Amino acid sequence: MNIAENVYFVGVVDKELKLFENQYPLRDGATFNSYVITDDKIAVLDTVEAQFGDEWLNNVNAVLKGRTPDYLIISHMEPDHSANIKRFKDAYPDVKLVGNAKTFPILKQFFNCDFADTVTVKEGDEINLGSHTLKFFMAPMVHWPEVMVTYETSEKILFSADAFGKFGSSLTCEDWTDEARRYYINIVGKFGMQASALLKKAATLDIKTIAPLHGPVLTGDLSLCLDKYTKWSGYIPEEKGTLIAYASIYGNTEKAAYALKDMLEERGEKTEIYSLATSDISEVVAKAFKYDKLVCASVSYDAGIFPAMSFFLMRLKSKNFQGRKVGLIENTSFAPSALRVMKPEFEAMKNITIVEPSVSVKSAPDEASYNALKELAENLLK
Ligand code: FEO
């Protein structure tokens, strides 16, 4: 697939993959992207997952048409992109491996051998291929420390590594936002400061196309993607609204959560609600970042909170959730513990405002519960 003159997509599509990083559920697989630029010299950008080595090499060779590649650019050493480096070097022994000072120690760790012909680049270095020039920018911790992005100056393409990636096997840009958000928040979300730093560098470049390591190549009007990335990396809500995440056993905590949803919607608030017991937690976490308010409702369980809520809070914390209003609801029949556990978790996060009252339901919502929920709804909207 041609993405610009003499610039080719040679990645692979994995429709069968069920878990990304062996933990994030996929509804429609994923892509592992790789690119080739043919010029006086030829550069290949990144490899793909180990199991797709044959397919990828066939794709690369179809573009090379018997020529020999000069450079393999290593944007990122995570194995979904680096697994075929040794195989490629064995196939093309004269190819130069291009990385930065942090790339090559990790390369050695993965393959347990030294590689010849390495080229160490630093911020702003360039490699000229003929009419195409590659310029390198470091992007540490977006998502590993050795990550770097490559700007091709003639076609104005930013090869953006994990940034601007998306889950899913589609290579078209339709419906980009939801799965790109879920990808960003869960894979890179912890490193917002570093992603913001990369965006600042990108803002100095005239970018026509963004070519990430997962998902579609982005081209045309890039303003939506750039706006979303500015918000996601800055932990800024995309819109006003409330995400309600609940953990219920027999349906009474759920009843309280839905009562609050109705009260918020009656007051004009956009809301989404998820049962943590049955939902993909990575999706609920991503949606929590979308809105400016979050409400957690959990049954008290084992002197703490329901396990699914515990996992949700752990994930929020690890993705640096911050800067939101939070409402809390617990349910208990004999020993209240959910508020006692949830509150400090949120108090330890940055710029979280806990909106009162925290609501304590006794077994099933009663008039006092509904009054407290109404007050919580009103205060959330103040
Ligand atoms: Fe798709 Fe961080 O690698």
Side-chain angles (χ1 to χ4, degrees), residues 328-344:
L328 298 172
I329 302 169
E330 73 173 358
N331 191 359
T332 179
S333 292
F334 49 88
S337 56
L339 287 179
R340 178 168 50 73
V341 173
M342 290 194 288
K343 227 174 208 171

Side-chain angles (χ1 to χ4, degrees), residues 20 76 78 80-81 143 162 183 187 214:
F20 194 87
H76 185 13
E78 196 167 8
D80 50 339
H81 311 294
H143 147 234
D162 273 347
Y183 171 88
I187 307 300
H214 299 285

